[in-house]
Amino acid sequence: QVQLVESGGGLVQAGGSLRLSCTASGNIFRFLTMTWYRQAPGKQRELIATITKVGNTNYADSVKGRFTISRDNAKNTMYLQMNSLKPEDTAVYYCNRDSPIWAWGQGTQVTVSS
């Protein structure tokens, strides 16, 4: 079973930036499309960004133009650069593969103050 570890969250003012990281155990990371999700309080988990094994990306409209997903296959690590953060970006952020998903990691909390 692959284990996912998210990190890099924190408290930031609106307009600020954060860079999240996601590290996966095992040796299959480089072969997979990976995703970032987020879950705000009282809301369903939302898919916000996807990156294929060769680096093609896709974003939800809510983050397009502000967030950038990237990956380093040699390090089994994926990143989410978040710029121009808004209070509505406040959520727990999770990473996973596209499908079928693995067990969720603990996530990393992002809080954006106004």
Side-chain angles (χ1 to χ4, degrees):
Q1 178 69 30
V2 172
Q3 292 187 332
L4 300 165
V5 179
E6 301 94 346
S7 62
L11 174 63
V12 64
Q13 289 187 333
S17 298
L18 284 173
R19 188 194 195 204
L20 306 184
S21 298
C22 164
T23 301
S25 64
N27 298 313
I28 64 171
F29 174 88
R30 67 189 65 197
F31 302 113
L32 302 175
T33 293
M34 296 295 294
T35 59
W36 281 102
Y37 288 79
R38 68 184 180 187
Q39 187 167 20
K43 295 188 176 181
Q44 290 189 331
R45 197 164 296 182
E46 172 191 17
L47 174 62
I48 59 170
T50 301
I51 186 165
T52 68
K53 62 182 180 181
V54 296
N56 296 318
T57 59
N58 197 27
Y59 299 93
D61 288 344
S62 57
V63 306
K64 195 174 296 182
R66 300 187 298 121
F67 291 10
T68 302
I69 188 173
S70 61
R71 65 191 298 164
D72 184 339
N73 287 337
K75 296 181 178 180
N76 279 7
T77 300
M78 178 176 66
Y79 305 97
L80 187 68
Q81 178 66 44
M82 306 188 297
N83 299 328
S84 302
L85 282 162
K86 304 175 181 180
E88 51 264 43
D89 294 318
T90 295
V92 180
Y93 285 70
Y94 301 89
C95 62
N96 217 306
R97 64 179 295 183
D98 58 344
S99 180
I101 60 171
W102 292 313
W104 295 100
Q106 84 287 352
T108 186
Q109 174 71 48
V110 172
T111 303
V112 184
S113 63
S114 58

